Amino acid sequence: MESIQVALAENAYEISIAPGNLDRLGAKCRDLKLGNKVMVVSNPTVFALYGQRTISALQQADFEVSYCELPDGERYKTLDSIAHIYDLALEHGLERSSTLVALGGGVIGDMTGFAAATWLRGIAVVQVPTTLLAMVDSSIGGKTGVNHPHGKNLIGAFHQPRLVLTDPDVLVTLPAREFRAGMAEAIKYAIIGDPELFDLLERADGLQQNQIDPELLATILTRSARAKAEVVSKDEHELTGLRATLNYGHTIGHAIENVTEYTINHGEAVALGMSAAGQIAVKLQLWTQQEAQRQDRVIHKADLAIELPPAIDLEQIVKTLKSDKKVKAGKGVFILPSKIGSTRTIAYEVLNPTEDLVSDALIKQVLTAMLPIASS
Amino acid sequence: MESIQVALAENAYEISIAPGNLDRLGAKCRDLKLGNKVMVVSNPTVFALYGQRTISALQQADFEVSYCELPDGERYKTLDSIAHIYDLALEHGLERSSTLVALGGGVIGDMTGFAAATWLRGIAVVQVPTTLLAMVDSSIGGKTGVNHPHGKNLIGAFHQPRLVLTDPDVLVTLPAREFRAGMAEAIKYAIIGDPELFDLLERADGLQQNQIDPELLATILTRSARAKAEVVSKDEHELTGLRATLNYGHTIGHAIENVTEYTINHGEAVALGMSAAGQIAVKLQLWTQQEAQRQDRVIHKADLAIELPPAIDLEQIVKTLKSDKKVKAGKGVFILPSKIGSTRTIAYEVLNPTEDLVSDALIKQVLTAMLPIASS
């Protein structure tokens, strides 16, 4: 059993990682002296698998448990879903001492966290991530929110959970594609700050869901959570730029998600974004081609693509990158590797100083090289 | 010019009170190094009176200013209005460095604060209160939010403003009824902690809008803001119970607002609630009848009623009081005066120990005495 502390001045909390942890949820919440009423928020898919165990664990610790079901999928990550949580919070009499438990992936975690941040000006939330992506990333750090019809995650709040409870056993039911997506973030942690983790990933016999050694998986969960916890504890509200290092692979990744209308999921896009960022770093002579290729081999080993879909519109990707508000304000940055385990933050201006075309050309050159051979 | 500091570890800010202050808004925001984009949120009534001056003041300090209009009235204090603020925030490209300026009374202040708390996980908000109630109370302290269809202020967040800028000159256009409502909160501060302020109110020639001495008004604004600032700085998130002392007059007051379907406004209800709480304190031998009567005379002098409307349903008031979640959980409290300037916090259990009827009887006895003679 691993216990990682997110060290924050006011809102410190534990990330607990252990097989079978789900059954310890009630006891853990009791230890935290959480109030008596708990509402579990989940979606039908996850609830069918783990809902009853979650509720039983809470009831066995004498909590009064209610349930709020939200539809499954990113397109329901809206204020309307939050309003539904509020309605049930009222119906079940949730008070300032009550707790919401987010049982699910990133979408459920973000929405439950936001509802907790804003119900009665803030109640407790416990994150119980059920996807690899949520376990290594989104459940930790207190970013909560929903999408605006015209932009992702524009509406939200920082609201730290009281506990993150991870049970790796639940990953057996995760679709393989979602497993891969989570692995992309784990690879990210390795590249930006954990060369030992990178070695483990590189030496592993396999990184896919049906191949991975459970011990390596446990190590990935622990080291990723620790890396995230460390950054969050130094930059809780994303003020110093330190937390921006977590965006490695995300700048181009977000643009790819956007341009493909999210048919490429977040993790897949981050994998492509890391591969592209790696090549940009190589072109700028920040990173060796050899290490960039080692990165790409690990990405490939996780069954993640390092090739763009043939029909993708590169102009549109560059346009999306340039429409970013930070970029427009001259504050855009790329996180680029300088070696495995270290990054540098390179201002977009550096890539894009006075001659706009040069930088677009660089990005496009790198992306073009990532197209399948027939279509490049 | 008065400058009061709200001393908070992380979010300290100034309450600036001065005639003509509205014209200094831009310079003050510039001093705070706020980002370039500012969106003013107001309603048609207030904007017609003070919108242009507000925008000019900001533009003169080189801010890029946009405007979001919300309909006037408590019934629009909804998530839908917040969604409208988000839409305009997106349209005008508000970034994490941008600022919302709340120009209006409590409803505008609460909604603008909540939108600022949740746009891009939190941007700056500046409160420019235009009602006496907002100046002495709601603009200070960071309570933000909207109503749920079935309950007031159930949805919200703590989000401290970067500046509260008060210009007493704008009160000349305030409807007399709203002026009285604000005066009720000022009287509250005097009773709970400021006997000198009480003396000033008691000795004043008049407390109504068309009578009040501008110097006394300035003193009321300053001392009320200081009292609120002090409590908030010791109990930012309403955790220790200290902030609960600000609820003097509000327990019964809220029930009266609720039962009269808000035809009696907040300040009027608080005045009635203070008068009732005073009599409860007298019956419990915590307070002298003489001081309770001095309180009532000051309330009356502000042209606020100390008599309940004849048709009011007292059973319903008691029922509403008892339906309060805190009361149900055995954690309800009454703030009761022990002398002018001091209160005691009396648990509802004390009023309502084992015999339910005794306490209901006490509250009803006090409220019955407040009915007009013909209907009691």
Side-chain angles (χ1 to χ4, degrees), chain B residues 28-51:
Chain B
K28 286 254 173 207
C29 289
R30 194 48 81 193
D31 289 348
L32 288 169
K33 301 195 184 348
L34 300 177
N36 225 38
K37 287 188 184 178
V38 174
M39 185 162 82
V40 175
V41 182
S42 193
N43 65 42
T45 315
V46 173
F47 194 79
L49 292 163
Y50 302 108

Side-chain angles (χ1 to χ4, degrees), chain A residues 118-150:
Chain A
T118 53
W119 180 249
L120 305 177
R121 301 195 192 93
I123 67 171
V125 64
V126 168
Q127 295 283 351
V128 183
T130 60
T131 66
L132 183 55
L133 190 63
M135 288 176 185
V136 299
D137 184 17
S138 62
S139 69
I140 307 161
K143 279 193 182 182
T144 74
V146 296
N147 300 329
H148 184 274
H150 300 296

Side-chain angles (χ1 to χ4, degrees), chain A residues 251-270:
Chain A
T251 311
I252 290 175
H254 283 149
I256 291 172
E257 278 184 275
N258 192 298
V259 167
T260 61
E261 292 177 335
Y262 302 94
T263 54
I264 290 185
N265 74 25
H266 181 71
E268 291 163 345
V270 167

Side-chain angles (χ1 to χ4, degrees), chain B residues 277-327:
Chain B
Q279 287 310 309
I280 291 171
V282 170
K283 301 281 182 203
L284 292 175
Q285 300 188 307
L286 296 170
W287 206 21
T288 64
Q289 183 63 269
Q290 192 207 0
E291 287 203 347
Q293 283 171 352
R294 285 172 65 198
Q295 166 189 265
D296 284 1
R297 277 195 296 270
V298 167
I299 292 172
H300 181 69
K301 195 176 180 178
D303 202 23
L304 287 156
I306 47 175
E307 202 168 66
L308 288 167
I312 202 161
D313 184 343
L314 300 189
E315 293 293 341
Q316 198 56 38
I317 293 180
V318 173
K319 204 173 145 192
T320 304
L321 281 173
K322 288 168 67 162
S323 74
D324 182 278
K325 279 188 296 281
K326 278 191 192 162
V327 174

Side-chain angles (χ1 to χ4, degrees), chain A residues 51-69:
Chain A
Q52 270 318 318
R53 263 179 72 197
T54 304
I55 287 177
S56 295
L58 289 162
Q59 284 174 337
Q60 274 159 32
D62 288 329
F63 287 101
E64 188 186 319
V65 190
S66 53
Y67 173 51
C68 171
E69 186 164 284

Side-chain angles (χ1 to χ4, degrees), chain A residues 79 86-87 90 93-96 114 117-121 143-144 148 150 153-158 237-238 325, chain B residues 79 86-87 90 93-96 114 117-121 143-144 148 150 153-158 237-238 325:
Chain A
L79 272 188
Y86 294 147
D87 289 346
L90 185 75
L94 262 59
E95 302 156 14
R96 281 183 75 173
F114 185 61
T118 53
W119 180 249
L120 305 177
R121 301 195 192 93
K143 279 193 182 182
T144 74
H148 184 274
H150 300 296
N153 293 322
L154 294 179
I155 300 159
F158 286 100
H237 297 126
E238 214 164 37
K325 279 188 299 279
Chain B
L79 272 187
Y86 293 148
D87 289 346
L90 185 74
L94 262 58
E95 302 156 14
R96 280 184 75 174
F114 185 61
T118 53
W119 181 247
L120 305 177
R121 300 196 194 93
K143 280 193 181 181
T144 75
H148 184 276
H150 300 296
N153 293 321
L154 294 179
I155 300 159
F158 285 99
H237 297 126
E238 215 166 37
K325 279 188 296 281

